[in-house]
Amino acid sequence: MSRKFENRVAIVTGAAAGIGKSTALAFAEQGAAVIVADIDSQAGEAVVEEIRQAGGVAQFIRCDVTIDSDVEAMVALATNEYGRVDFAFNNAGIEIEHSKLADGSENEFDRIMDVNVKGVWRCMKHQIPVMLAQGGGSIVNTASIAGLGAAPKMSIYSASKHAVIGLTKSAAVEYAKKGVRVNAVCPAVIDTDMFRRAAESDPRKAEYAAGMHPVGRLGKPEEIAGAVLYLCSDEAAFTTGVALPLDGGATAV
C-alpha cells in the first residue's frame, strides 16, 4: 500500500471527532506522524490509540485554539518531537447559531469569531514560520459552503467562514514563492456526531440537509479527509489559494 507521507509530520486540530478524526487517521495511514490536537482529551487520546494500534505514529496535545500559548505549544510539540511541520489541517471550529442577524448576541459573535477565525489565524501564525524555516509546507483550513454565499439564520458563522477564506487566500499569495501552500476546504453538511446530535432534536433536519445536496445524501468525513490529503500532496503542488467546495453539488445549483 502506498504511504506517500512517510517521514512527514502533520498537525490536525479538532482531531478528536468527525472530519478532524477522519483526517488524522488518513494522514497516519499514509505514513505521517500526526499531532492530534483537541480540547477533548479523552476522545483525542482514543484517536491516538487507534492510530498506534494500526501501526501509526501519533501524539495527543490538549489545545484550545483561542489560547495562543496552547497553539504555540502544539506547534512546538511537533518540532521538538519530529523536527518539522509538513502539513497542518486547521479544522477546529464551533457550531452555528440558529437566529437571524438582529437576534444574535455580542457574546455569541465574539465566541464564534475567536474560535473559527482567530483560531485559524493563531495556528497559521505559529505554523508558517516553521514551514518557512524548513523550506515549505502545506496548510489546509476548514471553511464551509457558508463562507461562499449567504447563510440565513447563521450570519455570524457564515461571516467567520468568509473570513477563513480571506485568511487562506491572503496567506497563499503572501507565501507562494516561499514554498508554503495554503488552501481551504468548504464542506456542506457532513454526517458527523455533531450533526447527528442536532438531528436528534429535530429529525426533519437530516431530511432537509440531505435534500440540499443534489447527490441526495450527506457528505462523509472520510470524503473531506481525502480532499485534505490531496491538497497536502505533491500532486497538488500547483494548487494554492483555493477554497474547494465539497458539497455534493450544492453550490452548483
Side-chain angles (χ1 to χ4, degrees):
M1 182 180 66
S2 170
R3 288 169 63 87
K4 61 184 176 184
F5 294 146
E6 198 82 50
N7 300 318
R8 306 281 191 93
V9 181
I11 292 173
V12 180
T13 67
I19 293 169
K21 176 180 177 180
S22 289
T23 306
L25 294 173
F27 269 127
E29 184 178 356
Q30 292 298 324
V34 184
I35 302 298
V36 173
D38 204 284
I39 59 172
D40 186 337
S41 298
Q42 184 174 357
E45 292 284 10
V47 173
V48 168
E49 182 60 24
E50 187 172 344
I51 289 171
R52 290 175 176 170
Q53 287 294 325
V57 176
Q59 293 196 51
F60 174 76
I61 186 168
R62 188 186 187 284
C63 178
D64 182 340
V65 296
T66 70
I67 301 173
D68 191 69
S69 59
D70 276 18
V71 176
E72 185 176 21
M74 173 186 71
V75 175
L77 176 62
T79 56
N80 291 339
E81 290 294 321
Y82 306 111
R84 57 190 301 111
V85 177
D86 296 285
F87 316 119
F89 181 38
N90 298 321
N91 169 69
I94 57 175
E95 299 180 44
I96 61 176
E97 80 277 18
H98 298 281
S99 59
K100 292 183 179 180
L101 187 146
D103 298 322
S105 71
E106 189 167 353
N107 286 340
E108 188 173 44
F109 184 97
D110 290 344
R111 174 61 176 162
I112 290 173
M113 290 294 174
D114 200 14
V115 177
N116 291 1
V117 182
K118 288 185 72 176
V120 169
W121 173 78
R122 290 182 186 99
C123 287
M124 289 199 294
K125 178 176 179 289
H126 289 288
Q127 293 156 356
I128 288 171
V130 175
M131 292 180 175
L132 291 174
Q134 69 194 23
S138 178
I139 294 171
V140 180
N141 299 320
T142 296
S144 166
I145 62 167
L148 298 172
K153 291 192 175 181
M154 48 183 187
S155 58
I156 303 171
Y157 178 84
S158 177
S160 76
K161 295 304 185 178
H162 275 80
V164 168
I165 292 171
L167 289 172
T168 297
K169 289 179 177 290
S170 298
V173 173
E174 288 172 352
Y175 299 103
K177 292 183 179 179
K178 300 293 185 179
V180 177
R181 297 187 298 106
V182 189
N183 294 290
V185 288
C186 300
V189 185
I190 308 302
D191 188 8
T192 63
D193 290 340
M194 182 186 296
F195 173 77
R196 291 178 185 179
R197 286 194 301 270
E200 283 176 2
S201 63
D202 185 356
R204 293 172 298 178
K205 289 181 179 179
E207 183 178 351
Y208 171 78
M212 69 179 280
H213 309 136
V215 298
R217 64 172 175 83
L218 303 181
K220 301 174 183 178
E222 56 266 29
E223 292 171 328
I224 312 306
V228 173
L229 264 64
Y230 166 72
L231 289 171
C232 288
S233 71
D234 292 340
E235 287 86 349
F238 199 54
T239 303
T240 195
V242 165
L244 179 63
L246 302 167
D247 62 2
T251 55
V253 176

